[in-house]
Amino acid sequence: MISVSTAKALVKQHVPLMPAGQVKLEAADGLTLAEDIKAPLALPPFDQSAMDGYAFRFADWNGSPMKIEGEQAAGTAAVNTLVTGTAMRIFTGAALPAGADTVVMQEKTTRDNGLLTITDEQLVEGTNVRKVGSEVDKDVVAIGKGTTLLPAALGLLASMGITEVPVYKRPQVSLLITGNELQTPGIPLVHGQVYESNSYTLRAALQRAGINDINIIPVKDDPDQVESAISSAIGSSDLVLLTGGVSVGDYDYVVGAAGRAGIETIFHKIRQRPGKPLFYGRHSKGIVFGLPGNPGSVLTCFYEYVYPAICAMMGKDFEQPVITAVLQRAYSKPADLTCFVKAGYDGKSGVMPLDAQESFRLRSFAVANALIKLEEGKTEYLAGEQVEVHPIPM
Ligand SMILES: Nc1nc2c(c(=O)[nH]1)N[C@H]1C(S)=C(S)[C@@H](COP(=O)(O)OP(=O)(O)OC[C@H]3O[C@@H](n4cnc5c(N)ncnc54)[C@H](O)[C@@H]3O)O[C@H]1N2
Ligand code: MOO
């Protein structure tokens, strides 16, 4: 069995980067740039007024009223030229007339009989003018490779007239749900059956990570069926997640079947709770996680291992932010395991372990917003101690 830190390092070391491709801006939210994007034009593309007011040449203004001549509205293609010594009516976003270099906002003026008096004491040359290229110059890198595209970045790209971007693709995911005892919600249970819930948890968690190409396949606890399900899933997806069947029971076939399907084992079993029997393997076509079937283990392993792996596949430099907070009550754990404890984090300084931590249950997880990482080698944590907190990432 390996430690949590070794397991995390191995996940990172063996994660493949998804191929890059051009994606329409509308579909690029949350994806990561595979190349630098250079500005195809200067932004703003011309000197612009930042205010509704009057444009003039600062050197022409001697404090006396100026004649108002002409008007420049936003979107006007014609280049109006300022008559020397006059001011031109102008609106926010409009191109500065040729010859003007300064704009006074209309609230800081008075207007009488076609004459403009400027009352703005602070005015200097260039006030309220957005200079051409002041946001970004043509041909310089506007957004660098490795940037994850969030709403502002998408807006910036659109403002440069860009319609498609080179990004790392999202992985296609197969969910292989093993277990003869599982029944689909909506169908009455017979004794010994339980409702299948892991696919609901994982589908939602994947969708929140931006992944929608998810194929869910129920698989019987049969070595040949598990093997052929893994073989076909690895051929058609980049990431295969199995749930159940990774422990030591007579019907736990996942690890052996993965080997026969050509998956190289990177690790199996971590000194952690929950999720001790986690399996991680790789193939030239993708990676495989065998998530321990208990619903709480599935989700903990998703947040701690699968989600970082997905980020890395998509070119995101995912590092768990190191947040510490004060433990609000004492907590005991086995010495030989790292424990991930479902918790309520107040977002500032305090974190409260929740009741009912067993991995077969989800009630505490359903209201948790964080996992506390309690290190191996220690059994008793006291109220008031600083502990590492992993906010649930999505
Ligand atoms: N002798 C030992 N037994 C077990 C050990 C061990 O070290 N020695 N480890 C325990 C731990 S820890 C875990 S975690 C589980 C993991 O077992 P498996 O991955 O083989 O999972 P299953 O046995 O198939 O299922 C465990 C549990 O979860 C329920 N389950 C499974 N899939 C689903 C699903 N899709 N939806 C809802 N519930 C599901 C299943 O019915 C079982 O109750 O092994 C321990 N045993
Ligand atoms: O490690 Mo298991 O996930 O505790 O139940």
Side-chain angles (χ1 to χ4, degrees):
M1 268 203 280
I2 59 173
S3 68
V4 166
S5 57
T6 301
K8 287 189 176 231
L10 285 169
V11 169
K12 201 168 175 184
Q13 187 186 331
H14 292 281
V15 92
L17 189 60
M18 290 296 294
Q22 288 291 124
V23 166
K24 290 233 178 278
L25 225 47
E26 298 87 322
D29 181 28
L31 297 177
T32 297
L33 284 178
E35 292 168 27
D36 288 341
I37 302 293
K38 290 189 176 168
L41 45 75
L43 273 188
F46 47 85
D47 289 350
Q48 276 174 355
S49 174
M51 294 288 171
D52 299 320
Y54 299 88
F56 62 101
R57 197 160 77 100
F58 195 77
D60 290 351
W61 179 49
N62 57 13
S64 337
M66 277 192 285
K67 197 169 171 226
I68 301 164
E69 277 209 22
E71 176 183 293
Q72 186 76 22
T76 308
V79 183
N80 290 321
T81 304
L82 190 77
V83 177
T84 308
T86 70
M88 191 181 286
R89 184 78 171 116
I90 197 163
F91 301 96
T92 307
L96 218 62
D101 57 19
T102 306
V103 171
V104 59
M105 61 196 294
Q106 65 195 50
E107 294 91 325
K108 292 184 176 164
T109 63
T110 57
R111 196 179 159 149
D112 186 31
N113 244 341
L115 286 179
L116 182 77
T117 301
I118 295 174
T119 57
D120 188 348
E121 306 284 321
Q122 315 292 321
L123 213 59
V124 293
E125 185 179 326
T127 300
N128 297 325
V129 174
R130 308 171 185 152
K131 291 295 285 178
V132 58
S134 57
E135 164 81 315
V136 56
D137 270 328
K138 185 171 186 300
D139 295 331
V140 306
V141 174
I143 312 187
K145 174 180 172 168
T147 304
T148 297
L149 300 174
L150 298 177
L154 294 168
L156 177 59
L157 291 162
S159 69
M160 295 185 289
I162 290 169
T163 57
E164 286 186 349
V165 276
V167 287
Y168 298 108
K169 303 267 182 168
R170 297 179 168 92
Q172 294 181 302
V173 179
S174 289
L175 287 186
L176 308 185
I177 306 295
T178 75
N180 290 348
E181 74 280 26
L182 304 175
Q183 182 55 282
T184 305
I187 299 174
L189 291 178
V190 298
H191 187 69
Q193 290 185 328
V194 294
Y195 282 125
E196 194 286 299
S197 64
N198 287 339
S199 70
Y200 294 80
T201 306
L202 286 173
R203 186 197 343 236
L206 287 163
Q207 285 173 341
R208 281 169 174 265
I211 292 172
N212 292 302
D213 194 343
I214 306 165
N215 199 9
I216 299 176
I217 305 140
V219 183
K220 286 289 170 210
D221 289 325
D222 170 272
D224 295 336
Q225 282 200 39
V226 177
E227 179 188 333
S228 70
I230 296 175
S231 291
S232 101
I234 198 70
S236 62
S237 41
D238 310 295
L239 171 62
V240 179
L241 303 180
L242 293 109
T243 79
V246 291
S247 190
V248 294
D250 292 352
Y251 299 95
D252 292 337
Y253 296 121
V254 166
V255 177
R260 292 192 301 282
I263 310 297
E264 178 197 349
T265 299
I266 306 296
F267 63 73
H268 179 213
K269 296 189 180 167
I270 307 173
R271 293 193 297 272
Q272 65 177 9
R273 177 178 291 165
K276 186 176 63 174
L278 179 66
F279 169 85
Y280 180 55
R282 74 163 180 195
H283 186 274
S284 57
K285 293 196 153 78
I287 53 172
V288 177
F289 283 95
L291 304 171
N294 278 313
S297 308
V298 162
L299 194 54
T300 302
C301 289
F302 181 87
Y303 289 136
E304 292 293 330
Y305 300 95
V306 180
Y307 179 68
I310 289 171
C311 290
M313 289 176 96
M314 292 166 66
K316 294 183 210 191
D317 185 19
F318 177 84
E319 285 299 336
Q320 183 82 48
V322 179
I323 296 175
T324 56
V326 175
L327 197 64
Q328 300 294 293
R329 69 174 169 90
Y331 198 87
S332 301
K333 62 175 270 300
D336 55 342
L337 300 174
T338 294
C339 287
F340 294 104
V341 177
K342 278 81 77 181
Y345 172 48
D346 67 11
K348 299 187 286 287
S349 56
V351 66
M352 175 65 85
L354 301 174
D355 291 332
Q357 290 288 333
E358 297 89 335
S359 62
F360 73 90
R361 43 209 291 174
L362 283 177
R363 270 181 82 179
S364 58
F365 226 146
V367 295
N369 64 358
L371 297 171
I372 306 172
K373 182 181 175 215
L374 299 179
E375 304 291 342
E376 83 179 76
K378 184 164 166 161
T379 52
E380 300 302 327
Y381 278 81
L382 303 176
E385 277 193 60
Q386 290 281 338
V387 288
E388 186 174 325
V389 177
H390 297 180
I392 287 175
M394 303 153 287

